[in-house]
Amino acid sequence: MACLLETPIRMSVLSEVTASSRHYVDRLFDPDPQKVLQGVIDMKNAVIGNNKQKANLIVLGAVPRLLYLLQQETSSTELKTECAVVLGSLAMGTENNVKSLLDCHIIPALLQGLLSPDLKFIEACLRCLRTIFTSPVTPEELLYTDATVIPHLMALLSRSRYTQEYICQIFSHCCKGPDHQTILFNHGAVQNIAHLLTSPSYKVRMQALKCFSVLAFENPQVSMTLVNVLVDGELLPQIFVKMLQRDKPIEMQLTSAKCLTYMCRAGAIRTDDSCIVLKTLPCLVRMCSKERLLEERVEGAETLAYLIEPDVELQRIASITDHLIAMLADYFKYPSSVSAITDIKRLDHDLKHAHELRQAAFKLYASLGANDEDIRKKIIETENMMDRIVTGLSESSVKVRLAAVRCLHSLSRSVQQLRTSFQDHAVWKPLMKVLQNAPDEILVVASSMLCNLLLEFSPSKEPILESGAVELLCGLTQSENPALRVNGIWALMNMAFQAEQKIKADILRSLSTEQLFRLLSDSDLNVLMKTLGLLRNLLSTRPHIDKIMSTHGKQIMQAVTLILEGEHSIEVKEQTLCILANIADGTTAKELIMTNDDILQKVKYYMGHSHVKLQLAAMFCISNLIWNEEEGSQERQDKLRDMGIVDILHKLSQSPDSNLCDKAKTALQQYLA
């Protein structure tokens, strides 16, 4: 019996809750307009700060009725405005609330409301639109569906400080990527928003600043325009510099620094400009100090990482500013047991977001160590740094793992560190684990780093080989992602360099000749070049050349012919001729060239080519074929003389290129010996 009673009890509780909310909805249907207005005002007061009440009213169907009243021509402006306010309040609840509003097509209704002549109603519609568009569940594209919306919003910017604040906020949240930037730019966003930077309202200035940061990001066209914009006789970069001074609010300093950073990265401001070196960079370093809030430290470090990423001089300056390298170590100790945070809510928030600090620190360390050996050494010598990176490789957050791999990749560019710290901490072990099962974005960086660990001087090369790396890398060469194919083949190329016969045989067996030739016809030039590099490394040292050519000679000669006949760059053909030169260095393998008149004619053709690189590569091949001390050299020399090779050598011995001239003379001596 007890079980049977459970359902009615629950239902009565639910009906009690909804009954207390139902009268609000019922009043929206009253025939007396005055009572409807009072009902909407009472509903507004009931939902403020009450998420439960908001959810109840949505369930009871308040939204379609409010939208109906908002769009009715017979509704008074006051009623329409109050409806927009209530809808805005409902949107401030949970993400589910916003989804419900979107399902009722609230955005077209509010955009229609912006055509009203009444400013208070326009502001209420914009405030509600701002709340909806800043929600993560709202697709930005909804702002751009109707081509008349953006120009109308631009026109409304001049109406009041509220229209300015809300519209700028909508733009900064809905500008995602170059297409949106272009639409806003073409509708005069720069000209319409620039003067708002001197508005008496802090909120307007701030939202205008945020607009410029999203417009300038990775956009040379916008950035080049911003550099020359004048506001009250002052250039925009100078206004940004004023806004990042220490006496300004942190949010303003950070966003101004972002604007200048993005303009610099887009090529509109030089990296050695004083506004970058003396203002932007120091401001961003300040944001990394432990006095700042967690999100400020994260944003500061990530923006600084982006600013200095391509420029070695900025990396050097940043590394010696305010002990930045040591300061970043604190990002891993946060919040500490003796944390100064007394606000429990704040502490709870920071504990949930502490991984963002680690991610930001890894990103900044990666940028700092991208080029300079001394900086890398300083980073690695920072307390427990390698242990922290290794731990980062197995964190649950994909973003932290990616940042840790990037950091490790940056540090792996150091020959010394590959031989010392990387070996001491057996970095290859967690890296191989990461490579087993990771999203593509992590795989690209991790496999790129593996290329460095497989260089011949790296002590990690041996254990990596033993842990099944050949199969893993051959698998990457079959990826649909060209970056993964490049890295897979690049790592195999490094692995094959001066390797034992067994390793080369393992590579060829795991890769298969079919896959090798697929890679040789890959549409991505980098893949093709690295595959040629792999072949060149496989075909080195005579016994290896002869062994490989005895089993795969026919297919390799076929591939060489196809490339030399195809429409390929000078670099590709040079690599291919170098492979031929390696084959010509084999003892038995060289017969595959000598018995192939088609290939010999191609080598002859490239000896007379207009490009010196190709002439030299063809010359190497001929030199290896006619070398005197080797068996059968006389017959090979005679055959090549009959083909006219000696005449070409005489011509090349007069070449203005000293290298080519010397090689031709050396080759001719083989005939005279």
Side-chain angles (χ1 to χ4, degrees), residues 422-466:
F422 277 61
Q423 187 60 13
D424 297 343
H425 291 80
V427 166
W428 65 271
K429 283 184 185 174
L431 186 72
M432 288 298 285
K433 205 172 171 188
V434 166
L435 282 161
Q436 302 299 334
N437 184 20
D440 270 15
E441 55 181 343
I442 291 182
L443 273 180
V444 169
V445 189
S447 55
S448 187
M449 193 196 144
L450 195 60
C451 294
N452 293 348
L453 290 179
L454 286 167
L455 291 164
E456 95 278 8
F457 52 74
S458 165
S460 308
K461 184 173 181 177
E462 205 62 43
I464 290 172
L465 282 169
E466 289 164 11

Side-chain angles (χ1 to χ4, degrees), residues 474-539:
C474 290
L476 289 183
T477 68
Q478 296 179 29
S479 168
E480 287 181 18
N481 184 331
L484 285 177
R485 292 202 301 279
V486 169
N487 288 349
I489 205 75
W490 194 340
L492 289 169
M493 181 184 90
N494 288 351
M495 196 185 274
F497 182 73
Q498 294 181 353
E500 300 165 14
Q501 172 64 39
K502 183 189 174 300
I503 293 168
K504 291 182 179 181
D506 283 351
I507 292 172
L508 273 169
R509 189 179 58 252
S510 296
L511 192 60
S512 83
T513 36
E514 292 80 9
Q515 177 59 7
L516 186 64
F517 298 124
R518 265 198 294 275
L519 293 165
L520 286 172
S521 55
D522 201 288
S523 58
D524 189 287
L525 177 62
N526 286 327
V527 174
L528 174 55
M529 283 296 284
K530 292 292 176 274
T531 309
L532 291 170
L534 168 64
L535 255 182
R536 198 172 161 183
N537 286 352
L538 289 171
L539 294 165

Side-chain angles (χ1 to χ4, degrees), residues 182-239:
T182 303
I183 293 168
L184 293 173
F185 179 79
N186 289 344
H187 282 106
V190 173
Q191 297 74 7
N192 283 302
I193 296 170
H195 71 279
L196 303 182
L197 291 170
T198 55
S199 163
S201 159
Y202 170 76
K203 284 183 175 177
V204 171
R205 292 200 302 280
M206 203 52 240
Q207 293 305 332
L209 199 53
K210 285 181 178 174
C211 254
F212 283 129
S213 78
V214 295
L215 283 167
F217 182 63
E218 292 185 345
N219 193 313
Q221 184 189 25
V222 174
S223 295
M224 293 293 187
T225 306
L226 291 181
V227 168
N228 299 309
V229 170
L230 280 168
V231 180
D232 296 346
E234 210 169 6
L235 284 167
L236 219 47
Q238 292 166 336
I239 292 173

